[in-house]
């Protein structure tokens, strides 16, 4: 679990996920982006979505008939960063889309998920127990897990001015 492991590409080539939990402002997104940037420097493409925006794009793609094209794009991108994972209520349709995306990624690369919710609370954040089982199983069991602690970096930054 040493951070040095992310200077090599092994975690991407082995399709290992990364889960970063912690309170607001502890640097979850910053760390996820830094790891994603390191992957890019090693020749792997990365894409970041805040989960609410991902679901907006998924629903728009379904409405325009480009959903399969979007799924293919996400599956072909070696590193998918899901920021603010399960932060907002998620409906059955979005949960099903999330499972499809994660299922595709399982074969082609890695997911980095950032969230304030501890991993043991994820199941209850998803509306359908079967989908919740599948999402959690695919993300959690192949993941490096990090929990960030401390005060908000934004608060510290504002106090230093």
């Amino acid at each position: 679990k040493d951070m040095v492991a992310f200077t090599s590409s092994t975690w991407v080539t082995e399709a290992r996920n990364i889960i970063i939990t912690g309170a607001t402002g502890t640097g979850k997104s910053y760390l996820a982006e830094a790891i994603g940037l390191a992957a890019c420097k090693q020749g792997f493409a990365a894409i970041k979505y805040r989960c609410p925006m991902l679901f907006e794009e998924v629903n728009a793609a379904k409405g325009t008939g480009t959903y399969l094209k979007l799924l293919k794009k996400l599956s072909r991108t070696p590193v998918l960063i899901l920021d603010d994972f399960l932060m907002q209520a998620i409906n059955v349709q979005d949960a099903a889309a999330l499972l499809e995306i994660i299922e595709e990624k399982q074969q082609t690369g890695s997911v980095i998920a950032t969230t304030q919710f501890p991993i043991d609370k994820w199941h209850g954040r998803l509306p359908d127990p079967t989908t919740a089982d599948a999402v959690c199983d695919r993300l959690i069991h192949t993941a490096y897990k990090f929990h960030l602690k401390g005060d908000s970096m934004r608060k510290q930054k504002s106090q230093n001015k």
Side-chain angles (χ1 to χ4, degrees), residues 57-118:
E57 189 161 332
V58 163
N59 290 322
K62 285 181 177 179
T64 60
T66 58
Y67 177 64
L68 292 179
K69 184 177 178 181
L70 175 62
L71 266 185
K72 187 177 283 191
K73 170 187 163 187
L74 295 175
S75 72
R76 285 186 176 161
T77 304
V79 178
L80 174 62
I81 301 171
L82 298 178
D83 199 22
D84 294 332
F85 184 71
L86 299 178
M87 292 294 294
Q88 295 181 342
I90 183 170
N91 64 38
V92 173
Q93 293 80 17
D94 288 346
L98 179 64
L99 176 58
E100 287 178 6
I101 291 165
I102 291 169
E103 177 71 31
E104 291 295 317
K105 286 303 310 157
Q106 191 175 14
Q107 308 302 319
T108 62
S110 303
V111 173
I112 302 174
T114 71
T115 184
Q116 292 182 35
F117 286 94

Side-chain angles (χ1 to χ4, degrees), residues 22-49:
T24 297
T26 54
K28 298 177 301 293
S29 299
Y30 182 86
L31 181 57
E33 289 173 6
I35 294 169
L37 179 60
C40 290
K41 287 180 178 180
Q42 295 166 16
F44 296 98
I47 190 167
K48 176 188 170 191
Y49 281 97

Side-chain angles (χ1 to χ4, degrees), residues 3 9 28 39 52 69 71 73 80 89 111 119 123 135 137 141:
M3 288 305 290
S9 62
K28 298 177 301 293
K69 184 177 178 181
L71 266 185
K73 170 187 163 187
L80 174 62
V111 173
I119 293 169
H123 204 277
V135 166
D137 182 66
H141 298 300

